[in-house]
Amino acid sequence: MTSERLRLRVADVIRETGDAHSIVFDIPAGLTYQPGQFLTLRLPHADGPVARCYSLSSAPGVDEQLKVTVKRVKDGRGSNWVCDTVLVGHEIDVLAPSGTFTPKSLDADLLLLAGGSGITPVMSIIKSALARGTGRMLLVYANRDEQSVIFHADLRALVAAHPDRLIVLHWLETVQGLPSLKPLQELVRPWAHAEAFICGPAPFMDCAAEALKSLGILRDRIHVERFTSLAGDPWTEVEVAAPVAGERTVDLVVELDGDTHELDWPESSKLLDLLLGKGLDAPYSCREGACSACGVILVEGEVVMENNSVLEKEDLDEGWRLACQSRPVSDVVKVRYS
Ligand SMILES: Cc1cc2nc3c(=O)[nH]c(=O)nc-3n(C[C@H](O)[C@H](O)[C@H](O)COP(=O)(O)OP(=O)(O)OC[C@H]3O[C@@H](n4cnc5c(N)ncnc54)[C@H](O)[C@@H]3O)c2cc1C
Ligand code: FES
């Protein structure tokens, strides 16, 4: 994960379906990413630029270029601009790949549950695992109808090339109705041992997560990626307010990139702002509690988060906190970037 800013040249635009376009970028030298990560694009809009995250549907080490796949959202500011406007040769400002929706091992069996444009990070994971791993995969892929299935032909080709490693089950609303708990449970039951990845519209994700939990799949083996729009502009400079005279500071210990840092943490500062202000290369993307790119493990002490749209109770119980939203509560705080 990194907060590096890049300007990428559009090398190709692919019309995937009636309302989804892929934008292909040349990869800048030295850029690396993990399957399942996303780019944050800065897109123009009449009321001022908007920042939008788009998962990479390309796979590192497999595809020679970066690819994001954008599906139109009715009246959406960013997605329609991308689908209507972007042409080969355009340059777009992005934040470098980020995110934690990525398998720990490409050799593990993977259970993949995708709805609509939620296929994008899943496609990257599938291609990476088939090329570089050994595990087997089941993809359950829900769509409104056959015409709205993104990567239909690509998936068919992957299944044909790896029939013993990849199973794809399409769920079409026009044929089977909306995905519901009981049939989903039956589909995924034989895969209760696998590491699970869920991405799609909120009702689909809730139903899929419920099906997995009811089969006893532990929460730490269920990964979810929620597609939300950012409200702020992560390109604005981070301003770290100077400590107010007499302000309480707490003792902070941070493990980051193999180094341990001891800092005084003013109680009015957010953890990420403090670290960036001290020149540390702490990861972030949205800076508004919506993406989890800044996630840290709280090892000791207590913090309070101003906003949290991504961490669930189970994540909090495991110690995860969002550095961009955390202010200190206890006199000593220790955190670790994993
Ligand atoms: C980690 C991550 C990965 C993602 N990956 C993908 C991906 O691979 N592919 C993909 O297509 N999407 C992805 N998304 C979602 C994407 O970032 C955007 O949220 C999506 O494209 C919609 O953005 P928009 O600007 O088009 O819509 P918005 O302008 O954000 O509008 C969203 C909704 O709000 C309404 N709205 C518009 N303007 C306003 C306003 N001023 N006030 C109130 N409501 C308004 C619109 O009618 C619309 O229904 C991802 C999101 C995240 C966080
Ligand atoms: S940077 Fe996105 S949640 Fe903190």
Side-chain angles (χ1 to χ4, degrees), residues 38-39 43 47 50-57 68-81 117-118 120-121 199 225-230 290-291:
F38 62 88
L39 295 176
L43 305 172
D47 299 334
V50 294
R52 295 289 180 262
C53 305
Y54 291 106
S55 302
L56 287 153
S57 50
V68 294
T69 306
V70 180
K71 185 170 179 179
R72 288 182 193 274
V73 169
K74 191 174 178 306
D75 299 330
R77 290 157 285 180
S79 58
N80 290 293
W81 185 86
S117 58
T120 50
C199 188
E225 186 78 303
R226 292 191 189 281
F227 281 5
T228 54
S229 289
L230 304 188
C291 77

Side-chain angles (χ1 to χ4, degrees), residues 170-250:
H170 287 282
W171 186 303
L172 299 180
E173 200 184 314
T174 45
V175 179
Q176 289 135 293
L178 284 170
S180 55
L181 186 60
K182 282 228 151 48
L184 258 188
Q185 274 172 336
E186 293 317 308
L187 287 180
V188 301
R189 193 180 296 281
W191 291 78
H193 63 286
E195 194 174 352
F197 290 81
I198 307 175
C199 188
F204 170 79
M205 292 180 70
D206 293 345
C207 180
E210 192 55 42
L212 300 187
K213 284 183 196 164
S214 70
L215 294 179
I217 300 184
L218 295 179
R219 179 57 183 74
D220 65 356
R221 286 200 289 116
I222 304 176
H223 307 262
V224 295
E225 186 78 303
R226 292 191 189 281
F227 281 5
T228 54
S229 289
L230 304 188
D233 181 357
W235 272 264
T236 53
E237 289 303 320
V238 177
E239 285 180 23
V240 186
V244 184
E247 181 180 17
R248 171 176 166 257
T249 62
V250 314

Side-chain angles (χ1 to χ4, degrees), residues 74-91:
K74 191 174 178 306
D75 299 330
R77 290 157 285 180
S79 58
N80 290 293
W81 185 86
V82 170
C83 292
D84 289 336
T85 319
V86 174
L87 295 171
V88 173
H90 277 170
E91 292 189 330

Side-chain angles (χ1 to χ4, degrees), residues 38 53 98 230 234 272 283-295 307-311 321-325:
F38 62 88
C53 305
S98 182
L230 304 188
L272 177 68
Y284 68 86
S285 181
C286 70
R287 297 209 331 249
E288 57 189 61
C291 77
S292 81
C294 65
N307 179 40
N308 166 29
S309 319
V310 276
L311 299 182
R321 299 292 184 275
L322 302 173
C324 73
Q325 298 298 313

Side-chain angles (χ1 to χ4, degrees), residues 110-128:
L110 303 177
L111 171 54
L112 308 161
L113 300 158
S117 58
I119 190 64
T120 50
V122 169
M123 194 65 184
S124 177
I125 292 170
I126 291 174
K127 288 189 283 183
S128 299

